[in-house]
Amino acid sequence: MNPTKLKKLEQQVRTGGKGTVRRKKKAVHKTTTTDDKRLQTTLKRLGVNNIPGIEEVNLFKEDGNVIHFTNPKVQASIAANTYVVSGHAETKKLQDLLPGIINQLGPDNLANLKKIAESISGNPQGSAADDDVPDLVENFESVSKKE
């Protein structure tokens, strides 16, 4: 038998045993839709409700990064202590979101905020040159006595 023809037959997929017909293409199953349906049925069983009017959600990570959702779909079940945030997520650094995110920062993120402030100013723990009192150049007491 021709080796190229044998290779071609070898690549084709057989679904059953010896007597079954060869398929022309291998069927690719889409699992994302079934996973989504399964998740939605589980959430429905928990009794989650949609929360409208949420413009953004920020999840703060330990390393100082933020998972940022814009216009997410938020669902909650308070009885089951379950919150579902779905939508397009971006991982950003804390300083990228800084001006508008300060009111969302908690006490655990203050250390990250201090690190950012130190890196922006360029000198950690304050500058020694700014705190020094300048040396006296003249004798101010003699000038005040002349008047």
Side-chain angles (χ1 to χ4, degrees), residues 60-62 64 94 104-114:
F60 298 96
K61 294 169 66 175
E62 292 288 328
L94 186 61
Q104 298 175 10
L105 293 176
D108 50 345
N109 288 320
L110 286 178
N112 290 334
L113 193 59
K114 286 180 184 176

Side-chain angles (χ1 to χ4, degrees), residues 28-42:
V28 178
H29 298 290
K30 295 182 180 179
T31 59
T32 57
T33 56
T34 57
D35 288 343
D36 191 41
K37 287 178 185 176
R38 191 177 303 152
L39 177 66
Q40 290 299 326
T41 56
T42 305

Side-chain angles (χ1 to χ4, degrees), residues 8-47:
K8 187 177 177 184
L9 289 174
E10 201 174 88
Q11 291 176 351
Q12 289 180 340
V13 179
R14 186 184 299 260
T15 57
K18 185 176 177 183
T20 59
V21 182
R22 287 191 181 98
R23 288 190 286 172
K24 302 295 182 199
K25 285 185 182 178
K26 185 175 181 178
V28 178
H29 298 290
K30 295 182 180 179
T31 59
T32 57
T33 56
T34 57
D35 288 343
D36 191 41
K37 287 178 185 176
R38 191 177 303 152
L39 177 66
Q40 290 299 326
T41 56
T42 305
L43 290 174
K44 195 178 290 183
R45 201 174 329 133
L46 285 173

Side-chain angles (χ1 to χ4, degrees), residues 5-126:
K5 191 174 183 182
L6 187 63
K7 286 272 189 195
K8 187 177 177 184
L9 289 174
E10 201 174 88
Q11 291 176 351
Q12 289 180 340
V13 179
R14 186 184 299 260
T15 57
K18 185 176 177 183
T20 59
V21 182
R22 287 191 181 98
R23 288 190 286 172
K24 302 295 182 199
K25 285 185 182 178
K26 185 175 181 178
V28 178
H29 298 290
K30 295 182 180 179
T31 59
T32 57
T33 56
T34 57
D35 288 343
D36 191 41
K37 287 178 185 176
R38 191 177 303 152
L39 177 66
Q40 290 299 326
T41 56
T42 305
L43 290 174
K44 195 178 290 183
R45 201 174 329 133
L46 285 173
V48 295
N49 296 320
N50 284 340
I51 301 175
I54 295 181
E55 296 174 3
E56 69 174 4
V57 172
N58 295 311
L59 301 174
F60 298 96
K61 294 169 66 175
E62 292 288 328
D63 60 356
N65 289 333
V66 178
I67 301 174
H68 178 73
F69 291 88
T70 50
N71 294 325
K73 179 181 177 186
V74 179
Q75 299 170 313
S77 171
I78 297 177
N81 196 19
T82 304
Y83 298 91
V84 180
V85 180
S86 57
H88 180 66
E90 298 174 342
T91 302
K92 296 183 177 183
K93 293 193 180 269
L94 186 61
Q95 56 254 43
D96 295 343
L97 301 170
L98 243 188
I101 206 172
I102 291 177
N103 61 349
Q104 298 175 10
L105 293 176
D108 50 345
N109 288 320
L110 286 178
N112 290 334
L113 193 59
K114 286 180 184 176
K115 287 179 189 175
I116 292 169
E118 289 172 0
S119 67
I120 290 173
S121 66
N123 41 357
Q125 302 302 326

